[in-house]
Amino acid sequence: MAKQRRVGNPLALAVLSAVSLRPMHPYEMGRTLREWGKDEDMEIKWGSLYTVVRNLAKHGFVEAVESTRQGARPERTVYRITDAGREELVDWVRELISTPQREHPKFTAGLSVVTVLPPQEAMNLLRQRLALLHEEIAGRRDSLATHAENVPRIFLIETEYELAMREAEAAWIRSVLDEMSSNAFPGLAAWGAWHETGEIPPEMREPAERSGTTE
């Protein structure tokens, strides 16, 4: 079971990893994370970043070491990781790497009730998703190649994983579409009959009621 983290935002994990290298002010943290390509894995907004840094400081995971001001620019506070922060970082990474956790992608939620749509519409929507996935995959490949020119592979390994997951999803969608298009998908005729007649066929009624996809 996952631990309850005092600062559980994934951005906090990225910030701790950045300041574990050297003390930084929040602007430098954000710039470093972008240089590492982390903005492709999480949304890095300045407001959220400053909030995360304040929360990390509140719980003793980072501490301010100096504040500087240049001209009329806002004051910049430099933070360093504390011993408690380093322990939290290592413990958090150990948990994330070693322990599978149940996640709930929105796509899975949609698939769980896809029968509310007629088969043809579902197929069209899957084709639409597949086209968007192909665009995203191409973009991620280009981005990965660009970052790989200046960033060691170990700092891009999560991007490789995300790319592999997207490619696996695209491959699965293609296989499902192939089955549906060739009428090899089990229960496709009954699913279509449901929408044509408005009545659930006997072979679908019990599974549908058991899974809670219909009243």
Side-chain angles (χ1 to χ4, degrees):
M1 181 179 294
K3 295 182 179 179
Q4 186 68 34
R5 301 285 171 182
R6 282 179 282 176
V7 187
N9 189 324
L11 183 56
L13 183 71
V15 167
L16 288 175
S17 71
V19 295
S20 70
L21 300 179
R22 68 179 188 281
M24 299 181 186
H25 52 74
Y27 178 81
E28 188 178 7
M29 296 174 198
R31 186 180 64 194
T32 299
L33 294 176
R34 285 191 169 91
E35 289 174 353
W36 290 351
K38 304 305 181 189
D39 53 330
E40 296 186 6
D41 307 314
M42 63 186 70
E43 193 170 23
I44 302 177
K45 292 184 176 180
W46 293 118
S48 300
L49 180 62
Y50 278 90
T51 298
V52 164
V53 172
R54 285 196 297 268
N55 286 337
L56 288 171
K58 175 183 176 182
H59 292 286
F61 295 138
V62 299
E63 61 183 6
V65 292
E66 65 173 317
S67 294
T68 60
R69 184 189 298 274
Q70 293 183 351
R73 294 182 177 179
E75 186 176 68
R76 287 185 173 180
T77 301
V78 175
Y79 294 87
R80 68 183 175 192
I81 194 169
T82 63
D83 289 341
R86 199 173 297 277
E87 291 177 4
E88 176 72 2
L89 173 61
V90 171
D91 184 66
W92 199 351
V93 172
R94 282 174 175 161
E95 178 188 42
L96 291 173
I97 297 298
S98 67
T99 309
Q101 297 180 25
R102 183 71 180 270
E103 298 179 4
H104 303 281
K106 294 178 180 178
F107 183 43
T108 304
L111 289 173
S112 70
V113 290
V114 71
T115 51
V116 303
L117 303 174
Q120 190 59 53
E121 182 179 358
M123 292 171 65
N124 291 339
L125 293 172
L126 285 173
R127 292 189 183 100
Q128 177 181 325
R129 184 182 184 90
L130 185 59
L132 293 173
L133 278 173
H134 285 161
E135 292 180 8
E136 181 183 344
I137 289 169
R140 282 180 177 264
R141 284 175 178 164
D142 290 343
S143 177
L144 186 60
T146 298
H147 286 301
E149 295 177 359
N150 303 301
V151 180
R153 184 184 176 192
I154 191 59
F155 293 121
L156 299 172
I157 197 167
E158 82 284 1
T159 303
E160 290 186 12
Y161 171 78
E162 289 292 341
L163 178 58
M165 293 299 99
R166 286 307 205 190
E167 290 174 336
E169 180 183 329
W172 180 82
I173 290 176
R174 284 194 296 270
S175 69
V176 169
L177 285 171
D178 287 344
E179 285 188 84
M180 289 183 172
S181 299
S182 63
N183 292 319
F185 191 89
L188 186 63
W191 178 10
W194 179 359
H195 285 274
E196 290 174 2
T197 66
E199 296 183 4
I200 304 178
E203 62 267 39
M204 294 188 69
R205 181 180 300 278
E206 184 178 346
E209 292 175 346
R210 189 167 56 242
S211 64
T213 57
T214 186
E215 296 297 333

